[in-house]
Amino acid sequence: MRQIKPEQIDRDVFDLIGKDWMLVGAQKRDGSVNAMTASWGGLGVLWGKPVAFVFVRPQRYTKTFLDEADTMSLSFFDESRRDMLTYMGKTSGRDEDKIAASGLRVAHSGDTPYFEQARMTLIGNKRYVQDMRAECFVDDRELRQWYPGGDLHTVYVIEIDRVLLAD
């Protein structure tokens, strides 16, 4: 992997996140690693720093890893890995070792896990975490459409420290 600066990312972030998807990964203090597929989030500038933000529902097992860790990774893959991304999004790490079953190989950048097969990985430190609240929706259409069970996402903002590209 080679490292570039966040501002050198030359991909359309709407495609990168919304269409291509990503694995959000983190490691607990005991060394266990988990990841989940996500397609909601973004990249930008906040507090004068390059950031990424992702949304995770409260029932997701990966959320326990994200809450315990100080860092996380966002790993992006080429289209040949679509089946793996679908599997990682539908299967819970509570029930099986889905990373092993998917054939992914875990690597580390410092204490942050990521996946060797990724074409690009963002490594970042958590800077802000907040549970979404129903009363903050300006219009309740999204609330009714996306949260009929009331399981609003938690928003994680990370400062992007490193961007790793596959050679």
Side-chain angles (χ1 to χ4, degrees):
M1 304 286 285
R2 65 184 169 91
Q3 187 170 329
I4 64 169
K5 295 178 182 180
E7 53 273 10
Q8 292 176 299
I9 296 171
D10 64 356
R11 296 289 316 267
D12 177 333
V13 298
F14 294 100
D15 285 344
L16 193 63
I17 296 170
K19 293 181 182 176
D20 295 350
W21 306 342
M22 62 187 156
L23 285 184
V24 179
Q27 181 172 299
K28 287 187 174 181
R29 287 180 203 77
D30 68 4
S32 59
V33 173
N34 200 44
M36 60 171 262
T37 302
S39 63
W40 285 15
L43 304 176
V45 177
L46 185 62
W47 307 304
K49 300 173 182 177
V51 299
F53 54 94
V54 296
F55 298 80
V56 179
R57 290 199 191 260
Q59 64 267 35
R60 296 299 300 256
Y61 182 58
T62 302
K63 185 178 184 312
T64 64
F65 288 74
L66 298 173
D67 289 341
E68 188 173 314
D70 293 328
T71 65
M72 68 177 71
S73 63
L74 308 179
S75 295
F76 300 89
F77 299 81
D78 62 37
E79 186 60 32
S80 70
R81 302 289 182 159
R82 179 64 64 175
D83 288 345
M84 175 275 297
L85 288 165
T86 299
Y87 169 77
M88 292 292 287
K90 290 183 176 183
T91 304
S92 175
R94 281 186 194 101
D95 303 327
E96 62 183 83
D97 184 349
K98 66 182 185 176
I99 292 173
S102 71
L104 289 169
R105 293 181 307 277
V106 177
H108 285 82
S109 178
D111 292 332
T112 309
Y114 69 95
F115 302 98
E116 289 180 5
Q117 297 95 327
R119 63 184 162 129
M120 180 173 74
T121 299
L122 311 180
I123 305 290
N125 289 297
K126 279 190 315 193
R127 292 293 181 227
Y128 185 80
V129 178
Q130 183 175 5
D131 296 333
M132 294 176 72
R133 298 186 341 231
E135 64 269 17
C136 292
F137 281 83
V138 175
D139 182 323
D140 72 349
R141 285 181 289 186
E142 284 81 12
L143 186 62
R144 286 184 281 117
Q145 178 180 358
W146 297 102
Y147 304 101
D151 58 341
L152 279 71
H153 288 88
T154 297
V155 181
Y156 295 86
V157 178
I158 63 168
E159 178 182 354
I160 302 170
D161 291 327
R162 289 178 295 287
V163 178
L164 305 175
L165 295 179
D167 291 323

